[in-house]
Amino acid sequence: MTIAEEIKRRKTFAIISHPDAGKTTLTEKFLLYGGAIQTAGAVKSNKIKKSATSDFMEIEKQRGISVATSVMTFEYQGTLINLLDTPGHKDFAEDTYRTLTAVDSVILVVDCVKGVEMQTEKLMEVCRMRNMPVIVFINKLDRDGKDPFDLLDELEQKLFIKVRPLSWPIGGGKLFKGVYNIYDKHLNLFRASSTKVEEEFVSINDINDAELEKQIGKNDADKLREDIDLIDGVYDTFDEQQYKTGEIAPVFFGSGVNNFGVRELLETFIRIAPSPRGRNTNTRVVLPTEEKMTGFVFKIHANIDPNHRSRIAFFRVCSGKFERNSFYFHTRLKKQLRFSNPVTFMASSKNIVEDAFPGDVIGMNDTGNFKIGDTLTEGENMFFKGIPSFSPEIFKELVNTDPMKTKQLEKGIRQLSEEGVAQLFTVQHTQAKIIGTVGELQFEVIQYRLLQEYGASCTFKPIQYYKACWLTSENPAKLQEFIRTKSNYIAYDKEEQPVFLASSEWILELTQQDYPEIRFHLTSEINKDEIVL
Ligand code: G4P
């Protein structure tokens, strides 16, 4: 197979959802179809559901599992599918954002009873920033859920996306009869079963065909015809190109646990989801078909064995062919590196890999060479863009409780921030270290890991900050002046970029008014992906 053929047959994607919507169940069904696992229950979910009372030991146990389930590769009808796992717990949302930088499309799972939930909104914001193609799967149709039209409205209003149903449910809950596939024009009849792999399809080329009454009865047939009429009137016809540019999201209905609607989702996915595409770097766009190998690190996983401090760096190949034992240029360190044991992941097992193609994700043992966002090339000096940090939600000051271990603490906190566990800001005038996270759970993780892996102990002092804003200005002198005047609220991130720590929404607004020449950004990457306030 040529490299171009290898690229064309690959689809790299992630399933995103609010916890409990059915991501793990759907993943498992996909893997069953792909023959990567033989029985349901084989995918251990690495989600940590408790949110009020965190259970850190549970995370430690789960971390072992999540390395193995970080990437799941399987084949379906000749398509090679790389499914990247995203953590379910909201405190690890930043990890999910970064994973989204390494995929070419996503499937969003929504629970039909709960509708669009908070966490989904934030995840979709990240997808929208990257014009990511999205397919929506509305799950749990075997339960009494919200009206399907209301669900579509909710998707459009809360997620700011245009939707187009490609299947439509007939009844719901106990009266759920199945779905009509608008795209392929067939009826998919529902029989509750978690084990069956085959679904029952009836071809109905014309919705007015009397076969419809025979299959679902007069009332449901009438209602379905009415609904389809309404859909055709209200929603634009599905345009694959618009899906690929992230402008329209096709919607499917089904029930993951009953393995219902999953096959048609998977088959549509392999038909329409994009293969690896070109990616932006600081100098140019890199196309997957280019001969020379390029790629970037989007995730770093620490070894759970504290006596063995190696880490696994997850690397997405963007162009060319990655080969084991070849030398590649680490563009940040300006250094040639060679990888003798890169691994790929197959459901729960890891295998040494000889080569990998664009769209593939490989794991590389790392002894501290990698930070998130690092780029490897065959000599070209550039780096991939689109892997930003977002403003944290919670800020605390790191307090060293064992002065004898200051060095260890500094090393540990630096490495943990490079791994992406939390963000580290150093306050300009006091040199205090501020840790910023998305959730409380990370503070526990940091405290535990600093002690276990670095022998350093610490506590945290809460600080009331609202947001960390990265700063730019057309006028460098004004920026310097702002940094000087606001020095009490200026800190530097791990790349030495200045950020303004705003104590409240009100203060931020006021500061913006007072300094119109300064732009305040909620992400660290200040380019077309930026969120400007
Ligand atoms: P998550 O990864 O998004 O957090 O969700 P997960 O797949 O674990 O599903 C959450 C719960 O919803 C599970 O129940 C799962 O069985 C159930 N579920 C998934 N799909 C459907 C569906 O189509 N219909 C119905 N009725 N339920 C569904 P649980 O009780 O939390 O776990 P388990 O004991 O069933 O494993």
Side-chain angles (χ1 to χ4, degrees):
M1 213 178 281
T2 64
I3 293 194
E5 285 165 340
E6 290 283 5
I7 297 168
K8 202 157 169 244
R9 77 183 194 105
R10 277 168 165 73
K11 313 260 171 182
T12 301
F13 81 112
I15 304 181
I16 55 175
S17 76
H18 192 90
D20 268 346
K23 180 170 73 78
T24 311
T25 311
L26 191 63
T27 303
E28 193 161 274
K29 301 299 175 196
F30 276 3
L31 295 181
L32 280 169
Y33 277 120
I37 55 168
Q38 269 65 49
T39 49
V43 182
K44 299 278 182 305
S45 101
N46 69 338
K47 64 197 170 188
I48 304 126
K49 288 186 175 175
K50 299 182 193 83
S51 49
T53 54
S54 55
D55 179 351
F56 182 56
M57 288 319 289
E58 187 58 21
I59 304 174
E60 274 299 287
K61 262 195 294 170
Q62 302 277 9
R63 275 181 27 185
I65 297 160
S66 70
V67 172
T69 57
S70 283
V71 188
M72 290 160 274
T73 302
F74 61 98
E75 269 195 59
Y76 187 69
Q77 296 181 351
T79 299
L80 195 138
I81 301 171
N82 293 312
L83 168 49
L84 273 53
D85 193 32
T86 53
H89 197 287
K90 75 165 176 29
D91 286 10
F92 296 106
E94 183 111 10
D95 212 26
T96 302
Y97 306 153
R98 281 192 295 260
T99 299
L100 292 179
T101 65
V103 300
D104 299 301
S105 70
V106 302
I107 292 183
L108 166 68
V109 184
V110 173
D111 181 335
C112 75
V113 183
K114 299 200 175 126
V116 175
E117 294 167 270
M118 265 292 280
Q119 209 167 315
T120 315
E121 291 177 34
K122 183 80 200 193
L123 291 171
M124 268 305 300
E125 201 178 302
V126 179
C127 292
R128 272 200 318 277
M129 272 169 66
R130 312 196 63 240
N131 300 325
M132 184 84 78
V134 178
I135 300 181
V136 180
F137 182 69
I138 299 191
N139 192 26
K140 307 197 184 180
L141 262 286
D142 58 318
R143 292 209 179 143
D144 286 317
K146 298 187 178 180
D147 176 81
F149 282 111
D150 290 347
L151 283 166
L152 296 183
D153 284 350
E154 214 176 296
L155 286 169
E156 294 206 323
Q157 278 157 21
K158 291 198 177 160
L159 303 181
F160 306 99
I161 42 167
K162 243 167 76 179
V163 296
R164 190 3 157 149
L166 290 189
S167 79
W168 195 250
I170 303 159
K174 285 202 177 56
L175 301 175
F176 181 53
K177 290 203 175 147
V179 295
Y180 178 69
N181 187 319
I182 305 172
Y183 199 56
D184 292 334
K185 300 200 181 344
H186 63 231
L187 197 62
N188 185 5
L189 297 173
F190 176 66
R191 312 261 183 274
S193 156
S194 58
T195 53
K196 90 179 156 74
V197 169
E198 286 311 311
E199 296 181 38
E200 214 175 311
F201 294 109
V202 181
S203 260
I204 299 206
N205 284 322
D206 180 355
I207 188 111
N208 294 314
D209 194 327
E211 182 65 23
L212 192 63
E213 271 84 354
K214 252 200 248 159
Q215 295 291 342
I216 58 175
K218 182 161 184 338
N219 286 351
D220 281 329
D222 287 347
K223 170 89 172 54
L224 179 65
R225 287 185 187 119
E226 250 172 56
D227 286 355
I228 301 288
D229 245 13
L230 194 60
I231 290 166
D232 287 342
V234 172
Y235 296 98
D236 293 342
T237 46
F238 177 63
D239 178 325
E240 212 173 300
Q241 206 43 43
Q242 281 190 316
Y243 153 71
K244 286 205 164 76
T245 50
E247 289 161 74
I248 196 159
V251 180
F252 288 86
F253 292 84
S255 169
V257 80
N258 289 298
N259 204 2
F260 183 79
V262 175
R263 204 177 81 181
E264 59 186 348
L265 174 70
L266 182 57
E267 289 185 358
T268 310
F269 169 80
I270 60 169
R271 204 165 54 208
I272 68 173
S275 298
R277 302 190 287 182
R279 262 158 206 272
N280 277 323
T281 70
N282 61 326
T283 56
R284 65 189 185 89
V285 174
V286 171
L287 297 175
T289 45
E290 289 179 21
E291 210 175 294
K292 300 227 160 106
M293 201 295 297
T294 63
F296 65 91
V297 171
F298 64 94
K299 175 173 172 153
I300 294 174
H301 221 296
N303 199 306
I304 48 170
D305 176 0
N307 298 319
H308 188 245
R309 210 182 285 159
S310 83
R311 315 187 283 183
I312 293 182
F314 288 81
F315 178 80
R316 150 122 189 181
V317 181
C318 295
S319 69
K321 181 170 159 187
F322 178 95
E323 286 175 306
R324 175 159 102 110
N325 282 326
S326 286
F327 276 97
Y328 291 112
F329 181 59
H330 187 305
T331 66
R332 181 178 54 86
L333 298 179
K334 307 266 179 287
K335 185 158 118 177
Q336 295 284 341
L337 295 176
R338 194 164 66 112
F339 304 93
S340 49
N341 292 312
V343 291
T344 48
F345 306 83
M346 205 78 178
S348 58
S349 64
K350 284 194 301 192
N351 304 300
I352 298 238
V353 67
E354 293 300 327
D355 45 37
F357 296 94
D360 287 346
V361 170
I362 47 186
M364 311 201 270
N365 281 331
D366 171 40
T367 44
N369 281 321
F370 285 118
K371 276 188 194 180
I372 283 167
D374 280 349
T375 297
L376 293 181
T377 67
E378 290 193 27
E380 188 174 345
N381 194 9
M382 47 97 161
F383 58 87
F384 282 94
K385 296 208 299 187
I387 311 141
S389 298
F390 294 86
S391 171
E393 314 276 326
I394 305 172
F395 299 84
K396 291 188 187 184
E397 185 180 333
L398 181 74
V399 181
N400 184 359
T401 50
D402 183 356
M404 301 296 286
K405 296 281 169 64
T406 304
K407 273 220 163 67
Q408 285 88 332
L409 183 77
E410 287 188 354
K411 181 173 177 204
I413 199 70
R414 201 185 60 241
Q415 290 197 347
L416 294 185
S417 79
E418 285 171 5
E419 242 178 65
V421 176
Q423 292 183 55
L424 174 65
F425 301 100
T426 308
V427 178
Q428 178 172 251
H429 75 297
T430 60
Q431 293 299 303
K433 292 201 170 2
I434 310 282
I435 311 291
T437 69
V438 188
E440 283 290 344
L441 206 51
Q442 271 112 326
F443 290 101
E444 248 183 272
V445 173
I446 293 166
Q447 201 172 34
Y448 179 90
R449 288 190 55 192
L450 283 174
L451 190 63
Q452 296 298 314
E453 295 168 31
Y454 300 88
S457 53
C458 68
T459 55
F460 299 101
K461 196 165 92 191
I463 323 176
Q464 276 310 320
Y465 285 132
Y466 162 65
K467 289 276 182 290
C469 301
W470 283 265
L471 305 166
T472 55
S473 175
E474 310 264 291
N475 184 339
K478 290 275 180 207
L479 183 59
Q480 282 317 313
E481 188 192 316
F482 178 80
I483 289 174
R484 241 188 347 265
T485 324
K486 295 279 172 197
S487 69
N488 284 356
Y489 301 96
I490 298 291
Y492 288 86
D493 73 0
K494 63 179 191 298
E495 315 296 342
E496 300 290 321
Q497 298 188 84
V499 295
F500 173 63
L501 299 167
S503 0
S504 70
E505 195 172 355
W506 179 75
I507 294 274
L508 181 55
E509 272 170 27
L510 215 65
T511 316
Q512 279 178 287
Q513 282 166 21
D514 290 349
Y515 296 88
E517 308 89 348
I518 310 288
R519 296 174 79 199
F520 299 77
H521 309 261
L522 284 180
T523 81
S524 65
E525 190 164 274
I526 298 151
N527 57 20
K528 82 171 192 33
D529 291 339
E530 67 194 336
I531 301 178
V532 186
L533 287 171

